[in-house]
């Protein structure tokens, strides 16, 4: 089940020396932030402070973090409704994220968008999209624009295994390659759509990697629970993109620890599956690696405490933020700030 | 009479028809093993097996295309599109294919199928999971459009839709899934294309659909109690075919019509109805036709904002009262 | 003043804006090397090169998605969807993505783009290549909707749409491509959201769009000559924003309104307009509001049938005359 | 350019003995009928008797004929706006086809559908679809229905090279394979979309065959100008489908002699390209083969004369058929025959 996926195309590093301590700490911090913000989000559900739905990426943090660590300022992220992590790793504020989940004024979207649409354009987080597949074509547009403007920006577009079976996936991949766009498609294969195993509805074993050839792309599979591995592939693909050599498609094998969304207890999963993946939980794995590479337990504890403190602070600020006022309900439909459709 | 939720009535309607006719098959995302993301289809896989109740990939065009092809060749498929917003990803199959196949082939092709979908707001899901899009469907010649407001209607109208020889879009209001109501025992089937007068009054006719129906009824009670305004409330139930005869006859009795729509304003079904009344009953009207709608704005996610947008009992009450002056 | 065809005015408008602003780019199927299947974009590739004028695969979702992503990040794309019927295959990008991005992100995202498309009937192309779907777009909050009836408006409104910071759907009526008209020399730009009173009368206001405009004008002439009925004719030009002030003021002068729509009847723009007038001007009206539309039927291909369906000068003339009694 | 495409997966027959004279004559007759009906259609345009658009398959007849010869009664055909040939080979009447093109009462669709929507359900011709890609999902539905009803019917779905880049293609192929449906997808690669060469907008060289693997399917390329080759592949794929072994995807290389549609002179094609393909025109090639295999010139001439005579007769009948009456305009929107949307 949770067997280490085969690594293709990039050499299988035996040590992690190539990552270096600065990046390694950064990748750990990013994973910690994702984990603790989402655990907090889960608590807030239970307290009924989050009203709508919400899709946690618990267990999948290494992917967001690996890319977050590799991306540069100005690069673009496009992600899905399961996009808290991808938005956070670009630097969006925890208060903004948690506030949005609670529908407060301080939310990234002022309460208009909600959990499924987190966006922070100033950080390059170009939106979370809740209709499966839609953001792949949009992401290629951002990449096209960067190519046209010769801005050297790379676009990274995250999506799930289930997304590989919808038409927009196909159209976007083909056009990206034909136009040699600087875009990286990252399929987070967590084995499930909502509740249905991806293997039951897909004609190939690796829903993204086995289709790369259909777009003239290399087939790349990466261990999505290892932030270093993700980071390496991210770096390589971003370099390729920046050098004008076109898109990449990366399939990262991973698992979500919680159900699909707030309402889902996840009881369609076979006995032992979650447990076996919890043994490869990216957070404790990465924590051990830090220690292996010489960080002291105290240093690690301090990092953890710092993140938790910041999450707690953000939570309090967000909780005390008022709900949006009636006035904002009708703003920002149009570029002039209004919602007027007649004179 | 059994007491069922709106949610349970869905499976009940499907079950009734699948038992009756083995050509009825059912497909969609997470509808089989998981019983649907809204738990509307629990038990159907166990009862009818994986050949008749099929989980699909996330491929809405393939889902509706497969339903259409099967309908053209002898089956009577029911397809689920999880949220009605997702009709946009397979709109071609709805608007250009299933709606037009019979006419374009001069009747050679029949498309007896039902597309069920969870429609509407109130769940704080935000702009891409909360839309009321029954007017999208109403604008397309060749599709029937149904939107029930009660468990009994869910079952009866769904059964009728399944037996109908035309493509039917069946809009379930997701905020109504938890409501309860009595449903007749034994086989239950309603007729498509009939509105229902739920309350008869003399001063004004309030015409509502789906989630707006219980709200209109409550507003009507309040109007009676507080202001002595006596309102008829009609549940449209079916937008295509449209039961203009019931609606026009009530409006001619009361001399006034107010529509209550959940969809954003422009080109909603209330506009169509208003235009019919303004053309055919102009001289019978005692006052303007008023439309109460969600403003023409994408739906916000925060509960405070969403509640301000979708017509509430308070707003219906106020606007009807104001219009009577 | 140059004499241009409606077709030539398309390229002229694009050219004017591409010269002015290098962030304007243009993509679509067969638009570059071939100059468009309706020859509306001939010469643009030569003038602006293959980086700014790009042929695409048959991938409408990718076309509009790419346009949207580019618009979000600094460009001002123009995307062509060859026939408006094909909007159905990329409706998600239109209705759920480009229309909602700004609102959902509380203004963080801007989507300054134009989707041009050949709309409407009269070419005997049958039900999947002849639809008038401007009402599909009008029903979606967050998109502007424009439909010109003359070469000058094609150029001026297209230029305005390109400069607008919102997503604009630009419907070109394919049966009008061959018509000629004068277009001002030099830079020409019109304002979005303004209707145009093309003829002022005292008895009735006829409101029309696109192909229905020349027909309404001809019917108005005939009404004047034969029956002494004096009609105002308004070209709506823009459905969103809607110039209700011009329309309502004309209707209040004449006391009557008749809309002429090419779309199949249900939920057309005429219904919306009718409902606005029925609500806001009820006491100023002298008679019913009448809608003249294509019947609510998919469009037939044979010339005899198609001509019976789309409102003709004869039918407009007859229906207006009848409504005046 | 018009180089003989490589033949994969089925052994490269040296002689055509396996086809047999009966089938061979049948394949020739089918190609002749297609060719002459379409040439007549072209004449009728020039006489302005066909008012709308029309898309000819001149040059591509061998594909329709090869499949037409291999299909059995009850099998389903789904095709595109370029579907005259595919409809004719199933047995639809020439009068019905030509009448529909002219918008006459005798037309297959009574004038309601036109050239792009030819359908003859009684012959298994389940419709011509004018929106790129749409009929692939619909075809899998017919195949699903046949599978469910255990009827042993096979569905064949024809489309062009350009169609491989639209989302519906991807969704249909995947679902067909997951459900092991008895459906054959036939990509007629005529090198062009409308006017744009397919190679300029596609990430792989063989737009269908190079993507077969993305759906767990075998990559099959066939010479689409050789009716025998097409027939063999058709037979094999139909057998596979009937035995419950699921779908096939076949890419047939071919060329259209005329422009994309009525309005198109085809002048975007490089010099000599058409000429080189005309050397491989399926009709004269097949005619020579008949002679090689022992048919006399007289027998062939007789076949040709017979087809031409029937086409001429059909044309006269269609021409004298009146246009549809006003009454039918509003019939057959609904199954009760009406178009009523209100009471
Ligand atoms: C077009 C569309 N169809 C269906 C859905 C409902 N839906 C939301 S998430 C989901 C599963 C997606 O699975 P996957 O792509 O693997 O992503 P994951 O949730 O596992 O991250 C589905 C079916 C949707 N949002 N959009
Ligand atoms: C969704 C959609 N987009 C665009 C078109 C316009 N169109 C009609 S035919 C065609 C080219 C199709 O090319 P191909 O699939 O190769 O088929 P061929 O015409 O060569 O047989 C295009 C773009 C359409 N009908 N539908
Ligand atoms: Mg998944
Ligand atoms: Mg082609």
């Amino acid at each position: 089940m949770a067997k280490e996926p085969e690594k293709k195309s990039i050499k299988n590093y035996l040590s992690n020396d190539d990552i270096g301590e600065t990046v390694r700490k950064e990748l750990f911090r990013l994973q910690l932030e994702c984990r603790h913000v989402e655990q907090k989000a889960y608590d807030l559900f239970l307290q009924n402070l989050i009203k709508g739905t919400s899709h946690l990426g618990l267990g999948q943090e290494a992917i967001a973090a690996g890319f977050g660590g590799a991306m540069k300022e100005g690069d673009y992220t496009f992600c899905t409704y399961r996009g808290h992590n991808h938005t956070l790793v670009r630097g969006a504020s925890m208060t903004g994220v948690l506030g949005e989940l609670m529908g407060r004024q301080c939310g990234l979207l002022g309460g208009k968008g909600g959990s499924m649409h987190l966006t922070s354009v100033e950080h390059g987080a170009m939106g979370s999209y809740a209709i499966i597949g839609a953001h792949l074509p949009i992401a290629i547009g951002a990449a096209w624009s960067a190519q046209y403007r010769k801005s050297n920006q790379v676009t990274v577009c995250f999506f799930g295994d289930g997304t590989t079976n919808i038409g927009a996936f196909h159209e976007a991949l083909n056009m990206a390659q034909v136009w040699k766009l600087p875009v990286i498609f990252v399929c987070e294969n967590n084995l499930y759509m909502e509740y249905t195993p991806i293997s039951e509805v897909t004609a190939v074993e690796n829903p993204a990697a086995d289709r790369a050839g259909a777009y003239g792309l290399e087939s790349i599979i990466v261990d999505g629970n290892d932030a270093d591995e993700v980071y390496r592939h991210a770096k390589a693909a971003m370099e390729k993109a920046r050098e004008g050599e076109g898109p990449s498609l990366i399939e990262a094998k991973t698992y979500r620890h919680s159900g699909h969304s707030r309402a889902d207890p996840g009881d369609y999963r076979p006995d032992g599956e979650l447990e076996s993946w919890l043994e490869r939980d990216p957070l404790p794995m990465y924590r051990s690696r830090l220690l292996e590479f010489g960080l002291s337990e105290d240093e690690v504890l301090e990092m953890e405490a710092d993140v938790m403190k910041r999450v707690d602070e953000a939570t309090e600020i967000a909780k005390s933020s008022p709900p949006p006022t009636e006035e904002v309900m009708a703003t920002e439909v149009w570029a002039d700030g209004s919602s007027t459709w007649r004179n | 009479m059994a007491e069922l939720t709106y949610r349970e009535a869905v499976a009940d309607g499907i079950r009734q028809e699948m038992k009756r006719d083995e050509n009825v098959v059912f497909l969609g995302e997470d509808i089989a093993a998981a019983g649907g993301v809204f738990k509307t289809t629990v038990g159907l896989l166990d009862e009818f097996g994986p050949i008749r109740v099929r989980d699909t990939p996330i491929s809405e065009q393939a889902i509706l295309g497969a339903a259409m092809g099967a309908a053209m060749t002898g089956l009577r498929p029911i397809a689920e599109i999880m949220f009605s917003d997702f009709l946009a990803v397979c709109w071609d199959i709805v608007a250009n294919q299933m709606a037009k196949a019979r006419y374009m082939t001069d009747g050679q092709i029949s498309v007896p199928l039902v597309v069920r979908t969870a429609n509407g707001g109130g769940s704080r899901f935000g702009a891409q999971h909360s839309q009321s899009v029954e007017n999208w469907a109403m604008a397309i010649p060749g599709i029937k459009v149904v939107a029930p407001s009660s468990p009994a209607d869910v079952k009866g109208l769904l059964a009728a839709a399944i037996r109908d020889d035309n493509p039917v879009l069946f809009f379930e209001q997701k905020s109504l899934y938890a409501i309860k109501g009595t449903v007749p025992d034994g086989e239950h089937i309603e007729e498509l294309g009939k509105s229902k007068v739920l309350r008869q009054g003399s001063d004004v006719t309030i015409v509502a659909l789906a989630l707006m129906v219980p709200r209109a009824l409550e507003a009507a009670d309040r109007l009676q109690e507080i202001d002595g305004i006596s309102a008829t409330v009609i549940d449209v139930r079916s937008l295509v075919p449209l039961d203009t005869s019931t609606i026009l006859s009530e409006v001619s009795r009361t001399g006034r019509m107010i529509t209550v729509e959940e969809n954003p304003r422009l080109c909603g079904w209330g506009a169509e109805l208003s235009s019919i009344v303004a053309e055919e009953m102009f001289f019978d009207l005692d006052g303007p036709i008023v439309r109460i709608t969600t403003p023409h704005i994408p739906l916000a996610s925060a509960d405070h904002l969403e509640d301000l947008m979708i017509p509430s009992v308070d707003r219906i009450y106020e606007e009807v009262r104001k219009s009577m002056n």
Side-chain angles (χ1 to χ4, degrees), chain B residues 22-27 51-52 54-75 77 89 92-93 96-97 99 101-110 138 140-144 164-167 193-194 239-246 248 272 276 280:
Chain B
E22 65 166 23
N23 289 323
V24 178
V25 292
F26 179 31
L27 79 168
I51 304 294
R52 292 182 71 189
R54 296 198 93 154
D55 279 325
T56 68
I58 308 175
S59 307
E60 278 80 3
Q61 294 186 76
I63 293 170
L64 292 197
M68 175 169 165
M72 287 165 60
T73 54
L75 303 191
V89 302
D92 177 57
I93 309 288
N96 289 332
Q97 311 302 336
R102 169 177 290 277
Y103 185 77
M104 290 198 308
T105 62
D106 203 21
Q108 288 187 58
I109 288 175
S110 278
M138 188 178 185
I140 309 297
I143 329 176
K144 295 193 174 180
D164 198 276
D165 284 330
N166 298 288
K194 292 284 169 232
L239 293 174
V240 180
L242 186 63
D243 185 3
T244 49
S245 103
T246 298
L248 295 183
E272 184 58 44
I276 294 170
E280 300 179 18

Side-chain angles (χ1 to χ4, degrees), chain B residues 130-178:
Chain B
S130 305
Q131 293 169 89
S132 288
V133 304
E134 56 274 29
N135 56 334
W136 297 9
M138 188 178 185
I140 309 297
I143 329 176
K144 295 193 174 180
V145 185
V146 178
S149 73
S150 72
D153 278 359
V154 166
K155 180 170 180 181
L157 292 171
L158 185 50
I162 295 167
R163 292 191 208 175
D164 198 276
D165 284 330
N166 298 288
V168 182
L169 258 67
F170 193 84
F171 290 95
E172 300 162 14
Q173 218 296 351
K174 63 178 90 71
S175 294
L176 290 174
Y177 278 134

Side-chain angles (χ1 to χ4, degrees), chain A residues 76 78 100 108-110 112-114 117 119-122 125-135 137-149 153 167-168 171-172 174-175 178-179 181 328-337 340-343:
Chain A
Y76 295 125
F78 286 79
E100 190 58 34
L108 283 179
L109 320 169
K112 282 177 174 164
H117 299 295
T119 304
S120 182
V121 168
E122 60 169 321
M126 303 304 289
S128 306
Y129 296 77
I131 310 262
I132 294 296
H135 63 307
I138 301 170
I140 67 170
W144 175 38
S145 156
Q147 184 189 59
Y148 181 79
R149 292 181 284 103
Q153 295 161 289
E171 295 189 11
N174 182 63
M175 195 136 103
V178 172
W179 291 4
L181 297 178
V328 309
M329 188 260 280
T331 61
E332 292 297 353
V333 173
W334 306 118
D336 67 5
T340 314
W341 54 267
R342 60 177 286 191
N343 55 7

